[in-house]
Amino acid sequence: MPVVTLLEHLKHSQKKFTLLAGPITLNDIQIDDYIIDESYTLLLFTSDDSEVQVSLGDFVKVDFDAIANEAKNKFQMRRCLAKLATSGSYNAYVRDSEGSIILSFCGI
């Protein structure tokens, strides 16, 4: 799942970003840890001691504003992250089957 690859990248690089999840906005945070359970519910733990829970059950892809690529699997995500390594700041959007945004990682 490309979301896991993105989360691992953000967790290990300790990049700061703004997270948008429905009505929730968390500014200037880092990922401390996360869990995805068997029903594809993501529980995200952040550096400001927040916990965000969101369903990824209808997840389809991750796309970006800085490149014209999308990731539907972990291999595509790795290629996207390699391209983004030199792009400066970018946003990543986790989308469902209707194209709606489930999560936004902004200013990575």
Side-chain angles (χ1 to χ4, degrees):
M1 181 179 266
V3 174
V4 172
T5 305
L6 176 61
L7 292 171
E8 283 295 312
H9 169 72
L10 293 173
K11 180 180 171 182
H12 292 295
S13 66
Q14 286 297 290
K15 291 186 177 191
K16 291 189 175 189
F17 59 92
T18 296
L19 178 71
L20 305 172
I24 298 168
T25 301
L26 300 175
N27 294 305
D28 201 32
I29 61 164
Q30 296 169 303
I31 294 177
D32 284 344
D33 208 357
Y34 66 92
I35 298 168
I36 300 177
D37 68 17
E38 63 279 347
S39 64
Y40 295 105
T41 298
L42 168 67
L43 183 57
L44 191 61
F45 304 95
T46 68
S47 58
D48 67 348
D49 294 324
S50 294
E51 295 179 13
V52 177
Q53 183 174 332
V54 64
S55 174
L56 298 176
D58 196 24
F59 164 79
V60 173
K61 67 180 179 179
V62 178
D63 59 13
F64 305 90
D65 65 341
I67 58 174
N69 294 78
E70 60 185 37
K72 294 184 178 180
N73 60 53
K74 67 180 178 181
F75 303 109
Q76 291 172 340
M77 179 57 75
R78 287 180 188 152
R79 279 187 289 237
C80 289
L81 291 173
K83 288 180 181 181
L84 291 163
T86 58
S87 74
S89 181
Y90 61 91
N91 301 326
Y93 307 102
V94 178
R95 296 188 185 267
D96 66 17
S97 61
E98 296 180 4
S100 297
I101 296 173
I102 301 170
L103 286 170
S104 297
F105 299 88
C106 303
I108 300 172

